[in-house]
């Protein structure tokens, strides 16, 4: 097994311990129940393959490890305020990067390669680093396809539209082009189109 395959296996083993389960469709039109973070990680890889099928291994690993053991630090462990949210996100990025870095070293990657994976997970160089921008695009695409439907139910429409505009601003032209191709339910599609058009 190559170091890349070893690292992916270790990352997915960590995802597989997520106690939150989700039901997904298989290629044979059947359904199965899997840990949510494992499903999320595979969706991240799916969109990376659409955007940059020849992405370097460090980016592929960072994409796969984006939410590594995230369930261990629930949002409720920080104050339910805007500063609390950003503190939670910042801590998660640092923690997930450190865990992924250790996995990469264990799999046989060099210190520089492992640190690169960690830096990508922390989204260092957003808007200036092409790999970091790709990771941001992929995370936004998975949010739009996987999480927006449920997310919007907890907020008023204006709040959702505002968040979608911020999401759109973080994406590259290629990411935006792919976002508009995602199949969405009528009301979700309307919200996205409203955010994109500035109405």
């Amino acid at each position: 097994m190559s170091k890349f395959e070893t690292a992916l296996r270790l990352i997915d083993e960590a995802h597989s311990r997520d106690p939150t389960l989700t039901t997904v469709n298989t290629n044979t039109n059947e359904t199965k129940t899997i840990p949510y973070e494992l499903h999320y990680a595979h969706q991240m890889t799916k969109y990376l393959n659409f955007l940059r099928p020849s992405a370097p291994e460090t980016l592929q690993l960072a994409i796969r490890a984006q939410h590594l053991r995230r369930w261990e630090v629930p949002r409720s462990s920080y104050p339910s305020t805007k500063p609390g949210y950003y503190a939670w996100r910042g801590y998660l990025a640092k923690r997930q990067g450190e865990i992924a870095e250790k996995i990469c070293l264990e799999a046989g990657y060099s210190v520089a390669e492992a640190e690169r994976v960690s830096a990508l997970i922390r989204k260092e160089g957003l808007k200036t680093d092409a790999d970091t921008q790709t990771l941001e695009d992929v995370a936004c695409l998975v949010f739009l396809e996987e999480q927006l439907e449920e997310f919007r139910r907890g907020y008023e429409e204006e709040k959702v539209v505002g968040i979608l505009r911020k999401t759109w601003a973080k994406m590259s032209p290629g990411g935006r082009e792919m976002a508009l191709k995602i199949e969405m339910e009528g009301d979700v599609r309307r919200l996205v189109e409203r955010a994109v058009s500035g109405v």
Side-chain angles (χ1 to χ4, degrees), residues 82 85-86 89 136 140 143-144 148 151-152 154-171 191-192 195-196:
K82 194 169 185 178
Y85 171 76
Y86 285 116
R89 286 286 299 270
E136 182 66 36
C140 291
F143 167 72
L144 291 171
L148 178 56
F151 174 83
R152 74 182 180 90
Y155 298 96
E156 295 181 356
E157 181 167 316
E158 293 305 315
K159 175 77 169 178
V160 176
V161 170
I163 289 170
L164 286 171
R165 285 178 179 152
K166 291 176 183 176
T167 299
W168 198 253
K170 292 188 290 185
M171 299 178 75
L191 289 172
V192 171
V196 170

Side-chain angles (χ1 to χ4, degrees), residues 4 16 25 36 56 68 87 93 112 116 135 141 149-150 170 182:
F4 178 68
S16 295
N25 293 319
Y36 175 76
L68 200 52
R116 173 64 173 163
L135 188 148
L141 289 165
E149 172 65 43
E150 181 177 351
K170 292 188 290 185
I182 295 175

Side-chain angles (χ1 to χ4, degrees), residues 2 5-6 23 31 43 45 53-54 61 69 83-84 90 95 111 118 120 127 142 149 151 157 163 178 181-182 189 192:
S2 69
E5 292 169 328
T6 299
T23 301
T31 60
Q43 290 297 98
T45 294
S54 59
L61 292 171
R69 290 168 50 185
R95 180 178 187 266
V111 171
S118 182
L120 288 169
K127 295 294 183 183
V142 174
E149 172 65 43
F151 174 83
E157 181 167 316
I163 289 170
M178 180 156 289
K181 296 177 182 177
I182 295 175
R189 168 66 66 181
V192 171

Side-chain angles (χ1 to χ4, degrees), residues 1-12 45 48-49 52-65 103-110 113 117:
M1 190 176 284
S2 69
K3 61 184 180 181
F4 178 68
E5 292 169 328
T6 299
L8 278 184
R9 176 180 59 80
L10 292 171
I11 290 167
D12 281 354
T45 294
L48 175 63
N49 289 335
R52 285 181 61 189
S54 59
E57 289 183 9
T58 50
L59 177 55
Q60 293 183 57
L61 292 171
I63 287 281
R64 193 68 153 250
I103 286 175
C104 290
L105 291 172
E106 181 181 343
Y109 282 95
S110 69
E113 290 168 324
V117 172

